[in-house]
Amino acid sequence: MSENSNGASDLTVVHLMRHGEVHNPDGVLYGRRSGYHLSELGRQMADRVAEHLAGRDITHVVASPLERAQETASPIAKTHGLDLATDPRLIEAGNVFEGKTFGVGDGALRKPANWKHLTNPFRPSWGEPYVEQVVRMMGALEAARDAARGHEAVCVSHQLPIWIVRSFVEKRRLWHDPRKRQCTLASLTSFTYQGDRIVSVGYSEPARDLVPAHLLAGAKPVKGKSKAFGA
């Protein structure tokens, strides 16, 4: 890290990590529901990222309160000898379709009773407003930055909130095609701060070779295999 005129480091990196694969045999959008844990493959992803970050100057690890995020963050905290903190602002976005399936050719979107929730994709009408996600995620990022001043922090969260806050920082529109989010399982979206200002955003996939092909960004939908958008 570089140093400012007072001799203190003025660069801080906050890595927003998406959790690993979840055991979800029914293919539902689990959202904020409790009881969804990492699969065996998800645990491998978490361990892979912990190994990838082992040599980094990480002084703070924090996660969403949901089990899958806590389980993903634990190996990273352990590797660096840190206590794992929890920040409720890192939680998944609220969604009226929680508990429903979204497979190709079946699922919740075929039912007319659910169409009333699809009237406004710009807000969106089916869940937590994008602007509210930006506010809470920026708050979580700034808290992690302050906790790791001059070093690095890891915040484990969920796909949609990570993508929305990245879109905000990079000055893109917040409404988007979920299939085109660049935020695959166990990926790192890294924000570099100079003082209190974000000066760059990076993206990496340390566990890419472990991610099933149909879950990669831009992959074509496969019948019977839900991508669980927003997970």
Side-chain angles (χ1 to χ4, degrees):
M1 297 293 182
S2 62
E3 294 188 351
N4 61 27
S5 58
N6 295 322
S9 174
D10 63 352
L11 290 183
T12 306
V13 179
V14 179
H15 305 280
L16 263 183
M17 180 183 177
R18 184 182 172 194
H19 61 78
E21 185 190 62
V22 174
H23 179 66
N24 182 21
D26 296 326
V28 302
L29 194 156
Y30 30 80
R32 292 179 173 180
R33 293 187 168 202
S34 62
Y36 285 89
H37 298 266
L38 293 183
S39 65
E40 178 57 36
L41 181 60
R43 288 191 286 272
Q44 291 177 32
M45 292 176 182
D47 289 341
R48 171 72 64 80
V49 178
E51 293 171 5
H52 174 77
L53 295 173
R56 303 296 292 258
D57 183 24
I58 292 168
T59 61
H60 182 66
V61 181
V62 59
S64 154
L66 295 173
E67 294 99 331
R68 57 193 186 271
Q70 295 276 316
E71 292 165 1
T72 299
S74 290
I76 300 171
K78 182 177 180 181
T79 295
H80 291 273
L82 300 170
D83 291 331
L84 174 58
T86 299
D87 189 334
R89 292 172 294 190
L90 294 170
I91 200 168
E92 173 62 289
N95 193 308
V96 298
F97 294 115
E98 285 183 12
K100 297 180 173 62
T101 59
F102 280 83
V104 178
D106 59 10
L109 298 184
R110 295 188 63 191
K111 299 177 181 178
N114 290 325
W115 296 351
K116 63 186 177 183
H117 300 299
L118 306 175
T119 57
N120 185 355
F122 306 105
R123 187 177 184 267
S125 53
W126 55 82
E128 181 184 11
Y130 293 139
V131 172
E132 292 182 9
Q133 294 180 53
V134 168
V135 171
R136 65 175 172 85
M137 290 297 288
M138 286 300 296
L141 278 174
E142 290 164 3
R145 173 204 65 199
D146 292 344
R149 286 277 184 183
H151 306 279
E152 301 184 33
V154 177
C155 305
V156 180
S157 186
H158 308 267
Q159 186 191 62
L160 179 55
I162 294 172
W163 181 248
I164 289 299
V165 76
R166 177 181 173 184
S167 296
F168 171 76
V169 169
E170 295 183 331
K171 303 185 186 311
R172 288 192 302 274
R173 68 190 185 196
L174 301 183
W175 61 275
H176 60 282
D177 181 344
R179 296 168 297 181
K180 296 181 179 179
R181 295 172 189 158
Q182 188 185 42
C183 187
T184 196
L185 291 166
S187 61
L188 297 171
T189 301
S190 304
F191 300 80
T192 298
Y193 286 85
Q194 186 167 38
D196 291 344
R197 182 170 63 92
I198 295 173
V199 294
S200 68
V201 180
Y203 177 77
S204 59
E205 298 177 350
R208 182 181 175 86
D209 61 302
L210 298 177
V211 178
H214 73 282
L215 295 178
L216 293 170
K220 293 182 179 180
V222 177
K223 188 177 178 73
K225 291 187 178 182
S226 170
K227 291 191 73 164
F229 292 134

